[in-house]
Amino acid sequence: MKASLSVMPTTPDVPPARTVHPLWLRVTHWINAFSVVIMIASGWRIYNASPIFPFIFPKEWTLGGWLGGALQWHFAAMWLLAINGFVYLSLNLLSGRAQRKFFPLRPKEVLHDFVQALKGKLQHASLDHYNAVQKLAYLSVIADLILIVVSGLAIWKSVQFPLLRDLMGGFDNARIVHFFAMSFVVLFIVVHIVMVALVPRTLLAMLRGR
Amino acid sequence: MIKKPNRLSSTLDSELIIKDARRELQLAMPSRRLFGKRALTLGGLSLLTGCEITDNESVNRMLTNISRMNDGVQAWLFDPNKMAPTYPASMITRPFPFNAFYGEDEITEVDGDAYRLDIKGLVSNKKSWTLPELRRLPQVEQITRHICVEGWSAIGRWGGVPFAGFLKHIGADLNAKYIAFRCADDYYTSIDMPTALHAQTQLTLTYDGEILPPKYGFPMKLRMPTKLGYKNPKHIASIEVTNTYPGGYWEDQGYNWFGGA
């Protein structure tokens, strides 16, 4: 009896379920996703009213129906985006999670992991540890969303926020900055969704936490 | 949906109930799964974000309420001492774009000789004004950026009477909430008192040194570089000082009322 017991493994085969993403992170992630989709779809309709480049977005991809409706959506969802973003950043910084998850971030590792990813060899062995490419991507999109808010404020209140206006190179230029910041978010979303489709466990983790 | 037979009179058979429930579940599940699949497609996403939501009455009410809240936020952000940037004459946009809720071939022609500016509401001197009388008032000029709600902007040169001085001159109640404008082209809009008293808010009589041409609002428009284009009425026929919310042509259709820049 004693002998057979000692053969038994001391740790179970399946590691105990651990929370990868705390609840506050999951909630802020999905609120952010919701508000970003509204901001992009309504933003495209606003862009169409006076395009900066020689193209417009297909009407079916936009939100609001007409310029006035799109503006209402845009200036409603901006509160959700900004307040939720503020809560996310505060909790991320105060809890020390940002420091833990995103740093250290070394260019050499980014390059190495990027090459591995292209070869299809990048492992997602553990969901609670980001590879260097992920770290860079998430940090970039956070910085980009901050830029979107700042350039958006410069467009919305170009007279009341002269510092932001000058920082963005004037009213007309702020629109161009706002457009490219949007483009980067769209690019991020496309890659993000492809990666989730390739590793569906990540979607589960963002829903139930583990 | 399958109509359920009325079993109230029959004896309650637990097995039958379970069977019933199972059938209901089987009926419900595929459609639920299908919905999930559809919701994940791009088409489903556009369905969620498209006309259906936009036409929903309660959603529209929520959006209107948030727009009202944004009026309050903008009034709070508005700094009466903050000036819109001014530009050198070399930066004036030529030709300055025409924009209205009608085409350039439908511009209203106002007879300058017969023109009378009507003054209404909470004002001590309601005498109407002729064009020569308005031109005799002290005049100022500004080269500022006109920002359209559509997103484009253009720099222009406007001359006329500082509105704050005019309001004091006619004995307007400066504690009133709104100034409403009615125009010869049937346009109408309204602004808040702090913006009306802003140093760059101007009753405009000239454009680029010439008598204001019809396409820019002859005989008189209101120029505010602190607000979007649709808040700047042209061909003004009457000015009313009031505490009753007057709305506006575009504002009543959904544009934000404050429309500040």
Side-chain angles (χ1 to χ4, degrees):
Chain A
M1 281 299 263
K2 247 188 171 177
S4 68
L5 256 179
S6 67
V7 177
M8 289 263 289
T10 46
T11 50
D13 288 342
V14 186
R18 272 187 56 221
T19 302
V20 179
H21 302 309
L23 183 65
W24 64 262
L25 182 109
R26 282 175 279 148
V27 170
T28 51
H29 170 270
W30 290 111
I31 292 178
N32 187 61
F34 176 71
S35 60
V36 164
V37 167
I38 292 181
M39 291 306 274
I40 290 173
S42 57
W44 285 355
R45 181 62 192 83
I46 297 167
Y47 167 94
N48 283 357
S50 179
I52 335 175
F53 301 108
F55 68 87
I56 59 165
F57 295 98
K59 200 172 184 291
E60 321 63 89
W61 295 2
T62 68
L63 172 65
W66 71 297
L67 175 60
L71 286 163
Q72 283 192 339
W73 279 103
H74 210 68
F75 289 108
M78 71 169 186
W79 293 109
L80 202 57
L81 180 79
I83 294 168
N84 182 69
F86 180 77
V87 170
Y88 165 82
L89 284 177
S90 306
L91 289 173
N92 222 354
L93 291 171
L94 293 176
S95 68
R97 183 186 176 278
Q99 183 67 30
R100 227 168 32 243
K101 292 279 185 181
F102 299 136
F103 298 97
L105 177 61
R106 300 185 183 92
K108 222 170 148 185
E109 287 173 13
V110 174
L111 197 68
H112 172 263
D113 285 0
F114 188 67
V115 172
Q116 292 296 106
L118 289 181
K119 288 179 184 162
K121 281 182 186 160
L122 198 58
Q123 294 297 311
H124 280 74
S126 162
L127 289 184
D128 57 6
H129 177 258
Y130 294 146
N131 63 55
V133 177
Q134 276 180 299
K135 288 180 187 175
L136 180 66
Y138 298 151
L139 281 173
S140 304
V141 83
I142 291 168
D144 186 61
L145 284 170
I146 294 171
L147 180 63
I148 271 202
V149 171
V150 170
S151 58
L153 279 174
I155 297 168
W156 185 43
K157 289 282 154 274
S158 71
V159 174
Q160 299 306 324
F161 298 143
L163 275 176
L164 294 186
R165 183 189 66 225
D166 293 345
L167 191 68
M168 291 294 131
F171 174 81
D172 288 340
N173 209 56
R175 288 186 71 208
I176 296 170
V177 173
H178 203 56
F179 181 90
F180 281 109
M182 175 279 295
S183 307
F184 183 81
V185 173
V186 172
L187 180 71
F188 172 87
I189 293 171
V190 170
V191 176
H192 192 50
I193 290 177
V194 168
M195 296 313 291
V196 169
L198 291 174
V199 193
R201 278 181 304 140
T202 54
L203 177 62
L204 274 181
M206 194 46 86
L207 287 166
R208 63 177 188 186
R210 57 196 157 75
Chain B
M1 280 315 275
I2 288 167
K3 210 172 173 219
K4 271 176 278 179
N6 188 357
R7 286 209 199 88
L8 272 178
S9 54
S10 68
T11 51
L12 282 175
D13 189 330
S14 58
E15 230 179 60
L16 254 176
I17 290 171
I18 289 169
K19 224 172 163 183
D20 217 5
R22 203 172 285 146
R23 198 178 58 206
E24 282 287 321
L25 272 174
Q26 276 169 350
L27 276 173
M29 284 313 278
S31 63
R32 208 173 291 165
R33 257 184 238 129
L34 209 65
F35 175 73
K37 264 185 205 159
R38 274 187 194 148
L40 282 175
T41 64
L42 254 182
L45 204 67
S46 71
L47 235 160
L48 279 174
T49 57
C51 306
E52 277 190 35
I53 277 189
T54 309
D55 292 341
N56 186 296
E57 193 52 46
S58 59
V59 171
N60 273 331
R61 207 172 316 126
M62 176 198 74
L63 291 174
T64 305
N65 288 339
I66 296 175
S67 191
R68 276 289 123 76
M69 182 192 83
N70 287 338
D71 287 339
V73 172
Q74 292 176 90
W76 176 74
L77 277 176
F78 181 80
D79 179 351
N81 299 314
K82 209 163 262 175
M83 295 299 128
T86 54
Y87 302 88
S90 59
M91 285 182 75
I92 293 173
T93 308
R94 298 183 194 276
F96 190 86
F98 163 81
N99 199 38
F101 65 100
Y102 43 79
E104 204 163 348
D105 50 340
E106 297 165 291
I107 295 170
T108 307
E109 294 283 347
V110 177
D111 178 0
D113 295 332
Y115 176 77
R116 294 288 180 280
L117 171 69
D118 290 328
I119 306 294
K120 301 172 186 171
L122 307 167
V123 177
S124 60
N125 186 358
K126 292 201 178 72
K127 175 191 95 69
S128 61
W129 290 72
T130 63
L131 211 39
E133 284 171 338
L134 287 164
R135 284 176 183 153
R136 271 199 295 273
L137 293 170
Q139 310 280 310
V140 290
E141 267 202 354
Q142 60 172 271
I143 299 175
T144 49
R145 184 184 296 275
H146 170 104
I147 298 173
C148 179
V149 65
E150 292 170 351
W152 56 267
S153 77
I155 295 171
R157 176 182 165 210
W158 292 272
V161 183
F163 195 41
F166 182 80
L167 285 175
K168 284 165 194 159
H169 188 82
I170 61 173
D173 176 2
L174 301 182
N175 295 314
K177 279 189 191 157
Y178 312 104
I179 320 282
F181 300 89
R182 297 229 151 240
C183 308
D185 59 355
D186 289 334
Y187 192 76
Y188 63 103
T189 189
S190 53
I191 61 166
D192 55 298
M193 186 60 80
T195 303
L197 298 176
H198 187 270
Q200 287 174 314
T201 298
Q202 179 196 84
L203 279 178
T204 301
L205 298 162
T206 68
Y207 183 77
D208 202 13
E210 310 283 331
I211 288 175
L212 193 67
K215 62 174 174 176
Y216 299 147
F218 182 83
M220 188 181 76
K221 71 167 279 169
L222 185 76
R223 171 66 195 143
M224 291 173 288
T226 55
K227 281 196 193 292
L228 298 175
Y230 66 91
K231 298 301 297 182
N232 293 239
K234 299 188 279 196
H235 317 286
I236 297 172
S238 79
I239 297 174
E240 180 183 4
V241 181
T242 176
N243 280 316
T244 313
Y245 176 74
Y249 176 87
W250 286 115
E251 295 88 331
D252 293 350
Q253 297 176 60
Y255 278 8
N256 175 262
W257 177 75
F258 196 91

